[in-house]
Amino acid sequence: MNGRYFNYAVANLIRSFGRTWYEDWALITRSRLLGWGFNTVGNWSDPAFIRAAAMPYVLPLEHFPMTQRSIFRDFPDVFSEEFRAGAEQFAEQLKAYADDPYLIGYFLRNEPLWAFAGDVNLAAKLLELDAAFESKRELIRFLSERYEGEISRLNEAWGTALMSFDGLLQPFEADSVIALAGAAEDLDLFTELMIEEYNAIPSMACRQADANHLNLGMRYAWISSPKLLKGSHHFDVFSINCYKMKPDADEIHEIAALTGLPVMIGEFHFGAPDAGLLATGLRGVTNQEERGKAYSHYVE
């Protein structure tokens, strides 16, 4: 960030404790957490405090593997060697934590942007791009195998007049065929394979780097499509964020039933305009007392 900033909280700590302000703050904060009944340090907490607190914690991994060109929003070219190499580099950061007894587990990332788009057909988006995607070549291999190498069979199912499967290497208007049942089914199936790869490759790399801690998943903003569950068997816990007045019990039970995994809610909050920021955020109540009640209601 550009600009100069002043931290009044730190300034007040320095006035109170002098040179040992951080150590004193860490000791007070740890005591408060334990006194209030918290037994873990929250995600995105100060690494120095985590080391000083000697309490269980979770780790948000940084720099989820991407490729130079994305297929849709932040969805990478998942069948490329670039993505695999990025996943191995991504997992390297876990090696420093592999033997830490206080680490519960790690989140692969937080709220992927592509997953906000509802039941997006990633394979259809891929068709609209040029040949410079390994995932597009994998899609063509998938279709060729599915139609036993007969382009005439794909043409019949899709209502196209392609001379060969390689005709799909050029940008192709997916909207023209997606309404046909055959094309929609094919592209939905390959979309699921893409999401499987998206979840599997980084997860396997992380497991190789650190076999001692839990893979806590992607922290999806919400389950915008059942396809997001593909590849979740590579996780130990399925994580979602849930900004509602209470957890969505039906969704949680459905995810647990479909994945066979415990479900963790990564984020929720309640804001009030009577103190601090004037905006309430995503879920608002009237005052600080109501915030406490809302929190109790949510966690209970």
Side-chain angles (χ1 to χ4, degrees):
M1 296 176 67
N2 296 322
R4 298 176 66 187
Y5 299 87
F6 187 83
N7 190 321
Y8 286 95
V10 170
N12 288 332
L13 286 166
I14 293 171
R15 290 188 182 103
S16 297
F17 301 108
R19 293 181 180 275
T20 62
W21 70 268
Y22 187 89
E23 292 80 2
D24 293 330
W25 169 83
L27 180 62
I28 292 169
T29 300
R30 183 182 189 276
S31 298
R32 280 179 170 171
L33 287 173
L34 294 174
W36 290 336
F38 291 98
N39 57 12
T40 58
V41 180
N43 201 37
W44 291 304
S45 291
D46 179 17
F49 174 74
I50 288 172
R51 289 191 295 270
M55 291 174 63
Y57 70 98
V58 293
L59 181 69
L61 296 183
E62 298 179 330
H63 310 302
F64 186 83
M66 289 298 300
T67 50
Q68 187 171 4
R69 298 183 66 194
S70 299
I71 291 169
F72 174 71
R73 295 186 179 176
D74 58 351
F75 194 92
D77 188 4
V78 291
F79 284 98
S80 68
E81 184 56 38
E82 183 186 1
F83 182 67
R84 289 182 176 273
E88 291 178 6
Q89 184 176 358
F90 168 72
E92 284 289 314
Q93 64 191 293
L94 273 173
K95 290 184 176 180
Y97 300 89
D99 297 320
D100 189 342
Y102 290 109
L103 177 60
I104 298 168
Y106 50 87
F107 294 105
L108 293 172
R109 67 172 309 176
N110 182 67
E111 298 188 351
L113 295 179
W114 64 269
F116 280 78
D119 195 15
V120 61
N121 194 312
L122 294 169
K125 296 292 184 183
L126 182 59
L127 274 181
E128 296 172 355
L129 303 172
D130 57 37
F133 288 87
E134 189 57 39
S135 294
K136 192 165 195 179
R137 298 183 184 278
E138 187 66 28
L139 171 59
I140 291 171
R141 284 192 284 269
F142 167 81
L143 292 171
S144 179
E145 182 177 325
R146 188 165 169 79
Y147 288 98
E148 299 178 339
E150 298 290 336
I151 191 62
S152 60
R153 294 183 59 189
L154 181 136
N155 284 333
E156 182 179 355
W158 285 31
T160 51
L162 294 165
M163 299 299 293
S164 70
F165 288 96
D166 283 347
L168 294 171
L169 285 171
Q170 302 305 314
F172 185 87
E173 184 53 61
D175 287 344
S176 62
V177 300
I178 197 69
L180 298 176
E185 181 182 356
D186 293 341
L187 296 175
D188 274 340
L189 285 172
F190 194 75
T191 292
E192 292 179 356
L193 292 177
M194 293 169 73
I195 296 173
E196 169 95 26
E197 201 80 352
Y198 176 84
N199 288 325
I201 297 302
S203 293
M204 290 189 291
C206 287
R207 185 74 71 202
Q208 187 72 24
D210 177 6
N212 296 326
H213 299 110
L214 299 177
N215 180 335
L216 303 176
M218 292 282 178
R219 295 172 66 95
Y220 287 116
W222 67 84
I223 302 305
S224 55
S225 165
K227 293 186 181 72
L228 299 189
L229 306 183
K230 294 298 177 181
S232 59
H233 58 280
H234 293 282
F235 307 155
D236 298 300
V237 176
F238 195 97
S239 54
I240 57 173
N241 296 334
C242 183
Y243 285 98
K244 298 182 179 181
M245 297 307 290
K246 64 177 182 178
D248 190 329
D250 290 340
E251 181 180 59
I252 290 170
H253 288 307
E254 182 178 9
I255 293 170
L258 291 172
T259 64
L261 296 174
V263 180
M264 174 187 288
I265 294 175
E267 296 177 22
F268 67 97
H269 91 112
F270 309 99
D274 65 320
L277 298 174
L278 297 178
T280 61
L282 296 177
R283 286 290 177 267
V285 294
T286 56
N287 54 44
Q288 302 305 303
E289 182 180 357
E290 293 300 312
R291 288 184 73 198
K293 292 177 181 177
Y295 174 84
S296 294
H297 178 69
Y298 193 100
V299 297
E300 288 169 5

